[in-house]
Amino acid sequence: MQAYLSIRVFTFVILSASLLAGCGGKTPPAQATIGSQGNTPPTPSTLAINQAVAESLDLNNPQDFDNATQGLIARADGLRVSMADGSIVWSLNDYDFIHGDAPDSVNPSLWRQERLNNIHGLFEVTQGVYQLRGFDLSNMSIIEGERGWILVDPLTTKETAAAALAFARQKLGDRPVTAVIITHSHIDHFGGVLAVLEGNGETEIIAPQGFMSEATSENVIAGTTMSRRSMFMYGSQLERSPFGHVGSGLGKGPAFGSPGLATPTRVISQTGERVTIDGVNFIFQNAAGSEAPAELTFYLPEKKAFCGAEVVSRNMHNLYTLRGAHVRDARKWSYYINEAIEIFPEMEVYFASHHWPLWGNTEIVDFLKKQRDGYRYIHDQTLRLASQGHTPSEIAESLELPTALRNSFSNRGYYGTLKHNSRAVYQRYFGWYDGNPANLDPLPGVESSTRYVEAMGGSSGVMTTAKSAFDRGEYRWVAELLNHLVFAEPNHVAAKMLLAQSYDQLGYQAESGPWRDVYLTGALELRSGAPSQGLGISNAADLIRQTPISEFMQLIAVMLNGEKADGESYVFNFTFTDLAETYVLSLENAVLHQRNGEPDVNANATLQITHELFIGMLVGQAGIRETLFSDDISIQGSRLDLLQFFAMLDPPDEVFNIVTP
């Protein structure tokens, strides 16, 4: 799973649908609903599409289920993890409904994947190697050393990591943690590290080169936008049911608790680097710039076991993640998988940071080759079609994996998809512009939609066309039509309700867990409005403490309202008394610059503050105005200038509208 900084347990106040009925437009006829969030039932068109999927794949093939249950030591039935205040961080009970045949409201291929992801507990992978699966979005692996355990990827939060480690000790005995290997810089693979360290400072922490920078910086500047979009991608507002969130394809979903971070004691920078950790020999592969900017895999030569981290997984991964992130390099990703095949040719056991293991050299190499070729095929064919003048939309619509790849469950689009990954390749090489002059400077959404609706004969004409298309099962076209109407007339209730029904059907049909969540969350917000609260950062203080101050100074720069700052000029010193560091912020030309070093003697003001109090301001535990006038800080110079500067900063909107203007 891709990392996002702003995470915590959250509650939402959902507006009643009756309030929406009074917002204008014509109230639609009552529709049959299912679930607790107002979904409409699957239509005959959706049933037919899902049935066709079931008939095209060997969904009854038991091999993956045999692999996913092999080595089971103990199930974790009823696992429920809470924070100190009682807030639920993780509950396996939420997914008890996932068993048996696929319901009509879930793509049968996705349902099969989520049945596999629902197999949980403690497993023996091979002698001396264990996995804890189902305690979080990702897996925690355990390797027996001479003195204790080497843990691989300590999950997302300290709550889930502590629960997983306690379960392992209950079943395997109480051994100390001698080392922690963090395979890459996404939070579901390091956020629980503080819960597994022994506290004596002797636990070795191994991570790839660039880990600390990537782990702390990916979502600071763009964190609010990514967090809001993550609510769609992971279905955080959806009920856990056949009509809502069933899983993320990569796993069940993210845990919402208290993430932290610890500084590595050993950094892996070279492929082929050999390290002995607690008596166990490792050979590392540096796979930077594959699934994560900082990532490693490793091989245990005595056990002939390969840990693929998240470079490989039992689904097609994201070249572009829907929450928003830098596009990944498909060619480089494919190269690393091929390199692993070549440098670890004797592997007999495969395990990874997600999903279930695989055994046997022939089976593992076949799996790796198909993963390798899936990413390379998308890369090469996208560029081939682009060279013939095809646009991103045309490429996404026409591209299809070859038979051997598309019939492999491990290459199915349960997380990433062929459509949005091909667009990612195009974006990486050519950017947002497709070369058509009409798309060089298009009208913004609301203005464009208003003119489209007018050209189509007004809202009544759009609704007539959309209803006919809905009856024909053309839900993508309905969504395109009604999105224009909703943006032109955001109080048109009938349009919003029919658009929500279309999103229901697109969600039910989606093979990708994130696509399903995006569609169904869109439907929910059309019916109930945006949530009252976003994903905050109050529980991420342990992670924020490890984030360089410079990252947050850059965050302040992107919060600056350029219009308010136009014509203003200020210089401020921020001195962190407990770190002996000073940052100088200078404002000119409506741009905020920063530097670390000696204070500016001509500054408008110098603010002396502790790192901890600064963190309190960031996570909302201390208000800016209250802090500036408290005795906990010292200000030399103009307090008024400092207040005027802070007034120029626009606080991020954690719940900005997405499906409405």
Side-chain angles (χ1 to χ4, degrees), residues 49-104:
I49 287 173
N50 283 347
Q51 180 61 35
V53 171
E55 293 172 356
S56 70
L57 297 170
D58 185 11
L59 297 179
N60 293 320
N61 188 320
Q63 188 58 59
D64 283 334
F65 289 92
D66 292 343
N67 288 336
T69 54
Q70 182 170 325
L72 177 64
I73 295 172
R75 289 172 56 89
D77 293 322
L79 176 69
R80 189 179 177 91
V81 181
S82 303
M83 298 183 67
D85 63 1
S87 303
I88 301 301
V89 174
W90 186 256
S91 174
L92 280 178
N93 292 339
D94 288 348
Y95 301 100
D96 284 346
F97 66 91
I98 300 179
H99 55 82
D101 294 335
D104 293 339

Side-chain angles (χ1 to χ4, degrees), residues 141-353:
S141 300
I142 300 173
I143 301 169
E144 288 184 351
E146 292 179 351
R147 296 178 292 108
W149 285 342
I150 304 162
L151 300 186
V152 183
D153 287 354
L155 307 183
T156 308
T157 74
K158 66 181 182 183
E159 293 84 7
T160 51
L165 183 58
F167 190 81
R169 283 175 168 158
Q170 179 186 354
K171 304 301 178 183
L172 300 177
D174 189 359
R175 301 196 74 196
V177 176
T178 53
V180 176
I181 297 175
I182 299 171
T183 63
H184 60 290
S185 53
H186 292 153
I187 200 169
D188 53 321
H189 304 274
F190 69 80
V193 65
L194 297 181
V196 303
L197 299 180
E198 292 299 308
N200 54 19
E202 297 180 359
T203 307
E204 190 168 12
I205 303 172
I206 300 95
Q209 186 176 38
F211 167 76
M212 284 298 288
S213 174
E214 298 297 339
T216 58
S217 68
E218 183 181 51
N219 294 316
V220 173
I221 294 178
T224 299
T225 306
M226 287 188 179
S227 294
R228 177 67 174 116
R229 290 169 56 147
S230 292
M231 298 171 76
F232 277 69
M233 179 177 174
Y234 293 109
S236 62
Q237 302 173 73
L238 299 176
E239 63 179 358
R240 273 50 180 154
S241 82
F243 319 113
H245 175 82
V246 298
S248 300
L250 195 66
K252 304 316 298 178
F256 294 93
S258 307
L261 182 61
T263 302
T265 60
R266 182 191 294 269
V267 172
I268 302 300
S269 59
Q270 299 294 328
T271 292
E273 189 169 344
R274 294 174 179 264
V275 181
T276 300
I277 305 169
D278 192 14
V280 180
N281 293 321
F282 288 76
I283 305 175
F284 287 97
Q285 178 192 26
N286 184 3
S290 55
E291 185 269 341
E295 187 149 1
L296 59 78
T297 75
F298 63 82
Y299 184 64
L300 304 173
E302 280 75 24
K303 301 179 186 298
K304 295 186 177 181
F306 171 60
C307 175
E310 207 168 326
V311 177
V312 285
S313 54
R314 306 307 295 268
N315 55 219
M316 182 189 295
H317 213 297
N318 287 309
L319 297 177
Y320 167 79
T321 178
L322 301 184
R323 68 179 170 86
H326 294 297
V327 170
R328 295 153 187 173
D329 188 337
R331 184 174 60 173
K332 182 181 288 187
W333 198 331
S334 177
Y335 166 82
Y336 285 128
I337 299 173
N338 189 68
E339 182 182 61
I341 296 171
E342 293 180 345
I343 64 178
F344 309 132
E346 297 180 351
M347 64 181 84
E348 293 289 342
V349 179
Y350 155 83
F351 65 102
S353 301

Side-chain angles (χ1 to χ4, degrees), residues 269 326 425 442 447 548 613:
S269 59
H326 294 297
V425 173
E447 184 177 353
L613 185 55

Side-chain angles (χ1 to χ4, degrees), residues 342-381:
E342 293 180 345
I343 64 178
F344 309 132
E346 297 180 351
M347 64 181 84
E348 293 289 342
V349 179
Y350 155 83
F351 65 102
S353 301
H354 292 276
H355 303 132
W356 51 95
L358 194 60
W359 294 267
N361 183 267
T362 300
E363 291 77 6
I364 294 170
V365 171
D366 178 69
F367 158 67
L368 293 177
K369 284 183 176 179
K370 286 175 178 173
Q371 287 268 293
R372 173 198 68 186
D373 293 344
Y375 298 120
R376 187 59 190 261
Y377 185 89
I378 296 170
H379 174 275
D380 293 353
Q381 296 305 307

Side-chain angles (χ1 to χ4, degrees), residues 269-592:
S269 59
Q270 299 294 328
T271 292
E273 189 169 344
R274 294 174 179 264
V275 181
T276 300
I277 305 169
D278 192 14
V280 180
N281 293 321
F282 288 76
I283 305 175
F284 287 97
Q285 178 192 26
N286 184 3
S290 55
E291 185 269 341
E295 187 149 1
L296 59 78
T297 75
F298 63 82
Y299 184 64
L300 304 173
E302 280 75 24
K303 301 179 186 298
K304 295 186 177 181
F306 171 60
C307 175
E310 207 168 326
V311 177
V312 285
S313 54
R314 306 307 295 268
N315 55 219
M316 182 189 295
H317 213 297
N318 287 309
L319 297 177
Y320 167 79
T321 178
L322 301 184
R323 68 179 170 86
H326 294 297
V327 170
R328 295 153 187 173
D329 188 337
R331 184 174 60 173
K332 182 181 288 187
W333 198 331
S334 177
Y335 166 82
Y336 285 128
I337 299 173
N338 189 68
E339 182 182 61
I341 296 171
E342 293 180 345
I343 64 178
F344 309 132
E346 297 180 351
M347 64 181 84
E348 293 289 342
V349 179
Y350 155 83
F351 65 102
S353 301
H354 292 276
H355 303 132
W356 51 95
L358 194 60
W359 294 267
N361 183 267
T362 300
E363 291 77 6
I364 294 170
V365 171
D366 178 69
F367 158 67
L368 293 177
K369 284 183 176 179
K370 286 175 178 173
Q371 287 268 293
R372 173 198 68 186
D373 293 344
Y375 298 120
R376 187 59 190 261
Y377 185 89
I378 296 170
H379 174 275
D380 293 353
Q381 296 305 307
T382 297
L383 289 180
R384 177 184 68 84
L385 291 168
S387 73
Q388 296 175 353
H390 293 285
T391 66
S393 296
E394 291 168 345
I395 296 170
E397 195 68 20
S398 64
L399 194 61
E400 185 177 34
L401 290 177
T403 304
L405 298 183
R406 69 172 178 269
N407 287 343
S408 169
F409 286 112
S410 292
N411 280 61
R412 302 292 296 186
Y414 299 124
Y415 193 50
T417 72
L418 182 59
K419 283 191 172 183
H420 80 250
N421 279 344
S422 67
R423 291 176 184 271
V425 173
Y426 191 101
Q427 178 183 330
R428 182 174 182 87
Y429 283 92
F430 308 115
W432 58 267
Y433 177 49
D434 63 3
N436 186 331
N439 298 323
L440 183 60
D441 190 23
L443 294 171
V446 171
E447 184 177 353
S448 173
S449 292
T450 300
R451 297 189 183 196
Y452 268 107
V453 170
E454 181 182 355
M456 288 186 285
S459 60
S460 61
V462 176
M463 287 296 294
T464 299
T465 302
K467 288 175 182 176
S468 296
F470 185 93
D471 292 340
R472 295 192 301 270
E474 299 172 357
Y475 306 121
R476 291 168 65 193
W477 175 229
V478 175
E480 188 170 338
L481 284 170
L482 293 181
N483 185 65
H484 280 305
L485 181 48
V486 168
F487 269 70
E489 301 180 23
N491 293 328
H492 197 300
V493 177
K496 291 199 288 189
M497 295 306 102
L498 186 56
L499 179 54
Q501 292 174 44
S502 301
Y503 285 159
D504 285 342
Q505 304 309 314
L506 291 169
Y508 299 156
Q509 296 172 18
E511 188 178 38
S512 164
W515 277 42
R516 175 185 174 90
D517 285 344
V518 165
Y519 283 128
L520 295 184
T521 300
L524 174 64
E525 293 201 4
L526 284 166
R527 294 183 173 110
S528 305
S532 62
Q533 185 174 336
L535 303 175
I537 61 174
S538 61
N539 290 323
D542 287 335
L543 179 56
I544 292 173
R545 288 188 184 94
Q546 298 294 329
T547 301
I549 296 295
S550 59
E551 297 291 341
F552 293 104
M553 294 300 170
Q554 292 180 38
L555 175 61
I556 293 174
V558 300
M559 291 170 61
L560 182 69
N561 184 313
E563 294 180 0
K564 293 180 181 178
D566 192 6
E568 302 291 341
S569 179
Y570 292 106
V571 177
F572 299 108
N573 300 319
F574 280 70
T575 298
F576 295 91
T577 54
D578 51 342
L579 301 179
E581 290 186 41
T582 295
Y583 286 82
V584 181
L585 300 185
S586 57
L587 172 63
E588 57 182 339
N589 301 319
V591 174
L592 189 65

